[in-house]
PDB file of all heavy atoms in Angstrom:
ATOM      1  N   GLY A  66       4.369  14.668  10.958  1.00  0.00           N
ATOM      2  CA  GLY A  66       3.445  13.725  11.591  1.00  0.00           C
ATOM      3  C   GLY A  66       2.046  14.290  11.691  1.00  0.00           C
ATOM      4  O   GLY A  66       1.057  13.588  11.450  1.00  0.00           O
ATOM      5  N   TYR A  69       0.283  14.247   8.403  1.00  0.00           N
ATOM      6  CA  TYR A  69      -0.010  12.885   7.937  1.00  0.00           C
ATOM      7  C   TYR A  69      -1.280  12.297   8.570  1.00  0.00           C
ATOM      8  O   TYR A  69      -1.872  11.362   8.029  1.00  0.00           O
ATOM      9  CB  TYR A  69       1.181  11.979   8.259  1.00  0.00           C
ATOM     10  CG  TYR A  69       1.119  10.610   7.632  1.00  0.00           C
ATOM     11  CD1 TYR A  69       1.528  10.392   6.318  1.00  0.00           C
ATOM     12  CD2 TYR A  69       0.640   9.514   8.356  1.00  0.00           C
ATOM     13  CE1 TYR A  69       1.472   9.133   5.743  1.00  0.00           C
ATOM     14  CE2 TYR A  69       0.578   8.245   7.785  1.00  0.00           C
ATOM     15  CZ  TYR A  69       0.987   8.067   6.482  1.00  0.00           C
ATOM     16  OH  TYR A  69       0.926   6.813   5.913  1.00  0.00           O
ATOM     17  N   ILE A  70      -1.704  12.840   9.701  1.00  0.00           N
ATOM     18  CA  ILE A  70      -2.769  12.226  10.505  1.00  0.00           C
ATOM     19  C   ILE A  70      -4.055  11.971   9.715  1.00  0.00           C
ATOM     20  O   ILE A  70      -4.653  10.905   9.806  1.00  0.00           O
ATOM     21  CB  ILE A  70      -3.057  13.079  11.761  1.00  0.00           C
ATOM     22  CG1 ILE A  70      -1.914  12.903  12.761  1.00  0.00           C
ATOM     23  CG2 ILE A  70      -4.381  12.687  12.408  1.00  0.00           C
ATOM     24  CD1 ILE A  70      -1.991  13.798  13.976  1.00  0.00           C
ATOM     25  N   PHE A  71      -4.488  12.944   8.908  1.00  0.00           N
ATOM     26  CA  PHE A  71      -5.754  12.794   8.186  1.00  0.00           C
ATOM     27  C   PHE A  71      -5.549  12.307   6.738  1.00  0.00           C
ATOM     28  O   PHE A  71      -6.356  12.616   5.866  1.00  0.00           O
ATOM     29  CB  PHE A  71      -6.519  14.119   8.194  1.00  0.00           C
ATOM     30  CG  PHE A  71      -7.074  14.467   9.553  1.00  0.00           C
ATOM     31  CD1 PHE A  71      -6.501  15.486  10.297  1.00  0.00           C
ATOM     32  CD2 PHE A  71      -8.137  13.773  10.096  1.00  0.00           C
ATOM     33  CE1 PHE A  71      -6.996  15.819  11.550  1.00  0.00           C
ATOM     34  CE2 PHE A  71      -8.642  14.088  11.345  1.00  0.00           C
ATOM     35  CZ  PHE A  71      -8.072  15.117  12.078  1.00  0.00           C
ATOM     36  N   ASP A  73      -5.938   9.294   5.388  1.00  0.00           N
ATOM     37  CA  ASP A  73      -7.019   8.441   4.878  1.00  0.00           C
ATOM     38  C   ASP A  73      -8.254   9.252   4.503  1.00  0.00           C
ATOM     39  O   ASP A  73      -8.857   9.026   3.447  1.00  0.00           O
ATOM     40  CB  ASP A  73      -7.386   7.378   5.914  1.00  0.00           C
ATOM     41  CG  ASP A  73      -6.292   6.341   6.095  1.00  0.00           C
ATOM     42  OD1 ASP A  73      -5.465   6.194   5.179  1.00  0.00           O
ATOM     43  OD2 ASP A  73      -6.246   5.699   7.159  1.00  0.00           O
ATOM     44  N   LEU A 255       2.765   9.522  21.846  1.00  0.00           N
ATOM     45  CA  LEU A 255       3.232   9.638  20.460  1.00  0.00           C
ATOM     46  C   LEU A 255       4.703   9.258  20.342  1.00  0.00           C
ATOM     47  O   LEU A 255       5.103   8.530  19.433  1.00  0.00           O
ATOM     48  CB  LEU A 255       3.032  11.069  19.960  1.00  0.00           C
ATOM     49  CG  LEU A 255       1.618  11.484  19.567  1.00  0.00           C
ATOM     50  CD1 LEU A 255       1.517  12.994  19.453  1.00  0.00           C
ATOM     51  CD2 LEU A 255       1.213  10.837  18.265  1.00  0.00           C
ATOM     52  N   SER A 258       5.341   5.399  21.204  1.00  0.00           N
ATOM     53  CA  SER A 258       4.863   4.542  20.103  1.00  0.00           C
ATOM     54  C   SER A 258       5.713   4.741  18.853  1.00  0.00           C
ATOM     55  O   SER A 258       5.796   3.847  18.008  1.00  0.00           O
ATOM     56  CB  SER A 258       3.389   4.825  19.805  1.00  0.00           C
ATOM     57  OG  SER A 258       3.192   6.183  19.460  1.00  0.00           O
ATOM     58  N   PHE A 262       8.952   1.577  16.905  1.00  0.00           N
ATOM     59  CA  PHE A 262       9.329   1.114  15.570  1.00  0.00           C
ATOM     60  C   PHE A 262      10.845   1.100  15.370  1.00  0.00           C
ATOM     61  O   PHE A 262      11.375   0.283  14.629  1.00  0.00           O
ATOM     62  CB  PHE A 262       8.718   2.024  14.491  1.00  0.00           C
ATOM     63  CG  PHE A 262       7.226   1.968  14.403  1.00  0.00           C
ATOM     64  CD1 PHE A 262       6.450   3.085  14.686  1.00  0.00           C
ATOM     65  CD2 PHE A 262       6.580   0.797  14.035  1.00  0.00           C
ATOM     66  CE1 PHE A 262       5.070   3.045  14.591  1.00  0.00           C
ATOM     67  CE2 PHE A 262       5.194   0.739  13.936  1.00  0.00           C
ATOM     68  CZ  PHE A 262       4.440   1.868  14.222  1.00  0.00           C
ATOM     69  N   GLY A 344      -9.051   1.354   7.375  1.00  0.00           N
ATOM     70  CA  GLY A 344      -8.110   2.383   7.808  1.00  0.00           C
ATOM     71  C   GLY A 344      -7.402   2.080   9.109  1.00  0.00           C
ATOM     72  O   GLY A 344      -6.701   2.928   9.665  1.00  0.00           O
ATOM     73  N   LYS A 345      -7.564   0.851   9.632  1.00  0.00           N
ATOM     74  CA  LYS A 345      -6.907   0.465  10.881  1.00  0.00           C
ATOM     75  C   LYS A 345      -6.180  -0.867  10.721  1.00  0.00           C
ATOM     76  O   LYS A 345      -6.551  -1.691   9.891  1.00  0.00           O
ATOM     77  CB  LYS A 345      -7.935   0.353  12.019  1.00  0.00           C
ATOM     78  CG  LYS A 345      -8.573   1.670  12.421  1.00  0.00           C
ATOM     79  CD  LYS A 345      -9.499   1.462  13.605  1.00  0.00           C
ATOM     80  CE  LYS A 345     -10.192   2.754  14.010  1.00  0.00           C
ATOM     81  NZ  LYS A 345     -11.082   2.548  15.183  1.00  0.00           N
ATOM     82  N   PHE A 346      -5.146  -1.063  11.555  1.00  0.00           N
ATOM     83  CA  PHE A 346      -4.370  -2.293  11.506  1.00  0.00           C
ATOM     84  C   PHE A 346      -4.437  -3.070  12.820  1.00  0.00           C
ATOM     85  O   PHE A 346      -3.875  -4.148  12.934  1.00  0.00           O
ATOM     86  CB  PHE A 346      -2.906  -1.982  11.193  1.00  0.00           C
ATOM     87  CG  PHE A 346      -2.707  -1.295   9.869  1.00  0.00           C
ATOM     88  CD1 PHE A 346      -2.581   0.080   9.789  1.00  0.00           C
ATOM     89  CD2 PHE A 346      -2.647  -2.029   8.688  1.00  0.00           C
ATOM     90  CE1 PHE A 346      -2.404   0.714   8.574  1.00  0.00           C
ATOM     91  CE2 PHE A 346      -2.477  -1.402   7.470  1.00  0.00           C
ATOM     92  CZ  PHE A 346      -2.351  -0.027   7.409  1.00  0.00           C
ATOM     93  N   ALA A 379      -1.466  -2.949  16.972  1.00  0.00           N
ATOM     94  CA  ALA A 379      -2.176  -1.689  17.241  1.00  0.00           C
ATOM     95  C   ALA A 379      -1.263  -0.476  17.315  1.00  0.00           C
ATOM     96  O   ALA A 379      -1.745   0.660  17.264  1.00  0.00           O
ATOM     97  CB  ALA A 379      -2.959  -1.811  18.546  1.00  0.00           C
ATOM     98  N   ASN A 380       0.053  -0.684  17.429  1.00  0.00           N
ATOM     99  CA  ASN A 380       0.962   0.436  17.686  1.00  0.00           C
ATOM    100  C   ASN A 380       0.888   1.532  16.624  1.00  0.00           C
ATOM    101  O   ASN A 380       0.897   2.722  16.942  1.00  0.00           O
ATOM    102  CB  ASN A 380       2.409  -0.063  17.796  1.00  0.00           C
ATOM    103  CG  ASN A 380       3.360   1.030  18.237  1.00  0.00           C
ATOM    104  OD1 ASN A 380       3.314   1.505  19.367  1.00  0.00           O
ATOM    105  ND2 ASN A 380       4.216   1.472  17.321  1.00  0.00           N
ATOM    106  N   TYR A 381       0.785   1.153  15.358  1.00  0.00           N
ATOM    107  CA  TYR A 381       0.695   2.146  14.281  1.00  0.00           C
ATOM    108  C   TYR A 381      -0.572   2.996  14.441  1.00  0.00           C
ATOM    109  O   TYR A 381      -0.531   4.222  14.297  1.00  0.00           O
ATOM    110  CB  TYR A 381       0.693   1.450  12.919  1.00  0.00           C
ATOM    111  CG  TYR A 381       0.552   2.404  11.748  1.00  0.00           C
ATOM    112  CD1 TYR A 381       1.672   3.045  11.214  1.00  0.00           C
ATOM    113  CD2 TYR A 381      -0.701   2.673  11.194  1.00  0.00           C
ATOM    114  CE1 TYR A 381       1.545   3.934  10.149  1.00  0.00           C
ATOM    115  CE2 TYR A 381      -0.842   3.556  10.140  1.00  0.00           C
ATOM    116  CZ  TYR A 381       0.285   4.181   9.612  1.00  0.00           C
ATOM    117  OH  TYR A 381       0.150   5.069   8.566  1.00  0.00           O
ATOM    118  N   ASP A 382      -1.681   2.333  14.758  1.00  0.00           N
ATOM    119  CA  ASP A 382      -2.949   3.054  14.943  1.00  0.00           C
ATOM    120  C   ASP A 382      -2.882   3.986  16.149  1.00  0.00           C
ATOM    121  O   ASP A 382      -3.435   5.085  16.127  1.00  0.00           O
ATOM    122  CB  ASP A 382      -4.099   2.063  15.126  1.00  0.00           C
ATOM    123  CG  ASP A 382      -4.387   1.267  13.868  1.00  0.00           C
ATOM    124  OD1 ASP A 382      -3.944   1.688  12.790  1.00  0.00           O
ATOM    125  OD2 ASP A 382      -5.051   0.224  13.967  1.00  0.00           O
ATOM    126  N   ILE A 383      -2.211   3.534  17.210  1.00  0.00           N
ATOM    127  CA  ILE A 383      -2.039   4.379  18.397  1.00  0.00           C
ATOM    128  C   ILE A 383      -1.171   5.589  18.056  1.00  0.00           C
ATOM    129  O   ILE A 383      -1.465   6.716  18.456  1.00  0.00           O
ATOM    130  CB  ILE A 383      -1.427   3.563  19.557  1.00  0.00           C
ATOM    131  CG1 ILE A 383      -2.445   2.530  20.058  1.00  0.00           C
ATOM    132  CG2 ILE A 383      -0.972   4.471  20.704  1.00  0.00           C
ATOM    133  CD1 ILE A 383      -1.877   1.500  21.012  1.00  0.00           C
ATOM    134  N   HIS A 384      -0.124   5.357  17.291  1.00  0.00           N
ATOM    135  CA  HIS A 384       0.802   6.442  16.922  1.00  0.00           C
ATOM    136  C   HIS A 384       0.110   7.503  16.070  1.00  0.00           C
ATOM    137  O   HIS A 384       0.381   8.696  16.213  1.00  0.00           O
ATOM    138  CB  HIS A 384       2.001   5.867  16.176  1.00  0.00           C
ATOM    139  CG  HIS A 384       3.087   6.859  15.921  1.00  0.00           C
ATOM    140  ND1 HIS A 384       3.806   7.446  16.942  1.00  0.00           N
ATOM    141  CD2 HIS A 384       3.591   7.387  14.769  1.00  0.00           C
ATOM    142  CE1 HIS A 384       4.693   8.285  16.435  1.00  0.00           C
ATOM    143  NE2 HIS A 384       4.579   8.276  15.121  1.00  0.00           N
ATOM    144  N   THR A 385      -0.788   7.083  15.194  1.00  0.00           N
ATOM    145  CA  THR A 385      -1.470   8.034  14.300  1.00  0.00           C
ATOM    146  C   THR A 385      -2.781   8.558  14.874  1.00  0.00           C
ATOM    147  O   THR A 385      -3.374   9.476  14.307  1.00  0.00           O
ATOM    148  CB  THR A 385      -1.762   7.380  12.940  1.00  0.00           C
ATOM    149  OG1 THR A 385      -2.582   6.220  13.146  1.00  0.00           O
ATOM    150  CG2 THR A 385      -0.479   6.979  12.224  1.00  0.00           C
ATOM    151  N   GLY A 386      -3.241   7.959  15.970  1.00  0.00           N
ATOM    152  CA  GLY A 386      -4.493   8.393  16.582  1.00  0.00           C
ATOM    153  C   GLY A 386      -5.723   7.680  16.053  1.00  0.00           C
ATOM    154  O   GLY A 386      -6.813   7.806  16.627  1.00  0.00           O
ATOM    155  N   SER A 387      -5.579   6.911  14.967  1.00  0.00           N
ATOM    156  CA  SER A 387      -6.736   6.248  14.356  1.00  0.00           C
ATOM    157  C   SER A 387      -7.333   5.165  15.255  1.00  0.00           C
ATOM    158  O   SER A 387      -8.494   4.789  15.101  1.00  0.00           O
ATOM    159  CB  SER A 387      -6.350   5.643  13.005  1.00  0.00           C
ATOM    160  OG  SER A 387      -5.326   4.687  13.152  1.00  0.00           O
ATOM    161  N   TYR A 388      -6.543   4.675  16.193  1.00  0.00           N
ATOM    162  CA  TYR A 388      -7.015   3.647  17.127  1.00  0.00           C
ATOM    163  C   TYR A 388      -8.228   4.153  17.916  1.00  0.00           C
ATOM    164  O   TYR A 388      -9.112   3.378  18.283  1.00  0.00           O
ATOM    165  CB  TYR A 388      -5.887   3.262  18.095  1.00  0.00           C
ATOM    166  CG  TYR A 388      -6.219   2.123  19.030  1.00  0.00           C
ATOM    167  CD1 TYR A 388      -6.062   0.797  18.627  1.00  0.00           C
ATOM    168  CD2 TYR A 388      -6.687   2.360  20.319  1.00  0.00           C
ATOM    169  CE1 TYR A 388      -6.361  -0.251  19.477  1.00  0.00           C
ATOM    170  CE2 TYR A 388      -6.996   1.317  21.178  1.00  0.00           C
ATOM    171  CZ  TYR A 388      -6.829   0.012  20.744  1.00  0.00           C
ATOM    172  OH  TYR A 388      -7.134  -1.025  21.598  1.00  0.00           O
ATOM    173  N   PHE A 389      -8.271   5.473  18.174  1.00  0.00           N
ATOM    174  CA  PHE A 389      -9.331   6.080  18.977  1.00  0.00           C
ATOM    175  C   PHE A 389     -10.392   6.766  18.111  1.00  0.00           C
ATOM    176  O   PHE A 389     -11.166   7.594  18.601  1.00  0.00           O
ATOM    177  CB  PHE A 389      -8.723   7.083  19.959  1.00  0.00           C
ATOM    178  CG  PHE A 389      -7.598   6.509  20.773  1.00  0.00           C
ATOM    179  CD1 PHE A 389      -6.275   6.743  20.420  1.00  0.00           C
ATOM    180  CD2 PHE A 389      -7.859   5.706  21.862  1.00  0.00           C
ATOM    181  CE1 PHE A 389      -5.235   6.208  21.153  1.00  0.00           C
ATOM    182  CE2 PHE A 389      -6.818   5.155  22.604  1.00  0.00           C
ATOM    183  CZ  PHE A 389      -5.504   5.403  22.248  1.00  0.00           C
ATOM    184  N   GLY A 390     -10.407   6.438  16.817  1.00  0.00           N
ATOM    185  CA  GLY A 390     -11.409   6.999  15.924  1.00  0.00           C
ATOM    186  C   GLY A 390     -11.128   8.438  15.549  1.00  0.00           C
ATOM    187  O   GLY A 390     -10.038   8.959  15.767  1.00  0.00           O
ATOM    188  N   GLY A 393      -9.959  10.717  18.360  1.00  0.00           N
ATOM    189  CA  GLY A 393      -8.542  10.513  18.637  1.00  0.00           C
ATOM    190  C   GLY A 393      -7.661  11.241  17.643  1.00  0.00           C
ATOM    191  O   GLY A 393      -6.650  11.856  18.017  1.00  0.00           O
ATOM    192  N   LYS A 394      -8.035  11.195  16.376  1.00  0.00           N
ATOM    193  CA  LYS A 394      -7.255  11.878  15.347  1.00  0.00           C
ATOM    194  C   LYS A 394      -7.247  13.391  15.558  1.00  0.00           C
ATOM    195  O   LYS A 394      -6.223  14.043  15.353  1.00  0.00           O
ATOM    196  CB  LYS A 394      -7.805  11.550  13.952  1.00  0.00           C
ATOM    197  CG  LYS A 394      -7.426  10.168  13.457  1.00  0.00           C
ATOM    198  CD  LYS A 394      -7.680  10.035  11.972  1.00  0.00           C
ATOM    199  CE  LYS A 394      -7.071   8.755  11.418  1.00  0.00           C
ATOM    200  NZ  LYS A 394      -7.109   8.707   9.960  1.00  0.00           N
ATOM    201  N   ILE A 395      -8.385  13.937  15.958  1.00  0.00           N
ATOM    202  CA  ILE A 395      -8.468  15.390  16.206  1.00  0.00           C
ATOM    203  C   ILE A 395      -7.567  15.774  17.386  1.00  0.00           C
ATOM    204  O   ILE A 395      -6.816  16.757  17.320  1.00  0.00           O
ATOM    205  CB  ILE A 395      -9.923  15.814  16.477  1.00  0.00           C
ATOM    206  CG1 ILE A 395     -10.760  15.659  15.191  1.00  0.00           C
ATOM    207  CG2 ILE A 395      -9.996  17.258  16.974  1.00  0.00           C
ATOM    208  CD1 ILE A 395     -12.254  15.773  15.403  1.00  0.00           C
ATOM    209  N   TRP A 397      -4.966  14.090  18.489  1.00  0.00           N
ATOM    210  CA  TRP A 397      -3.577  13.876  18.048  1.00  0.00           C
ATOM    211  C   TRP A 397      -3.114  15.043  17.158  1.00  0.00           C
ATOM    212  O   TRP A 397      -1.977  15.481  17.243  1.00  0.00           O
ATOM    213  CB  TRP A 397      -3.473  12.557  17.291  1.00  0.00           C
ATOM    214  CG  TRP A 397      -2.923  11.406  18.071  1.00  0.00           C
ATOM    215  CD1 TRP A 397      -1.880  10.601  17.722  1.00  0.00           C
ATOM    216  CD2 TRP A 397      -3.399  10.883  19.333  1.00  0.00           C
ATOM    217  NE1 TRP A 397      -1.663   9.628  18.668  1.00  0.00           N
ATOM    218  CE2 TRP A 397      -2.594   9.780  19.680  1.00  0.00           C
ATOM    219  CE3 TRP A 397      -4.419  11.246  20.202  1.00  0.00           C
ATOM    220  CZ2 TRP A 397      -2.759   9.047  20.847  1.00  0.00           C
ATOM    221  CZ3 TRP A 397      -4.599  10.516  21.370  1.00  0.00           C
ATOM    222  CH2 TRP A 397      -3.790   9.443  21.686  1.00  0.00           C
ATOM    223  N   PHE A 398      -4.018  15.515  16.310  1.00  0.00           N
ATOM    224  CA  PHE A 398      -3.695  16.622  15.408  1.00  0.00           C
ATOM    225  C   PHE A 398      -3.392  17.896  16.207  1.00  0.00           C
ATOM    226  O   PHE A 398      -2.391  18.579  15.939  1.00  0.00           O
ATOM    227  CB  PHE A 398      -4.868  16.871  14.451  1.00  0.00           C
ATOM    228  CG  PHE A 398      -4.627  17.967  13.451  1.00  0.00           C
ATOM    229  CD1 PHE A 398      -3.881  17.734  12.312  1.00  0.00           C
ATOM    230  CD2 PHE A 398      -5.156  19.247  13.654  1.00  0.00           C
ATOM    231  CE1 PHE A 398      -3.656  18.743  11.383  1.00  0.00           C
ATOM    232  CE2 PHE A 398      -4.940  20.262  12.739  1.00  0.00           C
ATOM    233  CZ  PHE A 398      -4.178  20.008  11.594  1.00  0.00           C
TER     234      PHE A 398
END
Side-chain angles (χ1 to χ4, degrees):
Y69 190 83
I70 286 174
F71 289 107
D73 291 339
L255 283 165
S258 59
F262 293 116
K345 293 184 182 181
F346 300 97
N380 187 68
Y381 178 85
D382 292 343
I383 291 169
H384 188 65
T385 59
S387 60
Y388 185 84
F389 308 99
K394 284 195 170 189
I395 292 168
W397 259 233
F398 182 80

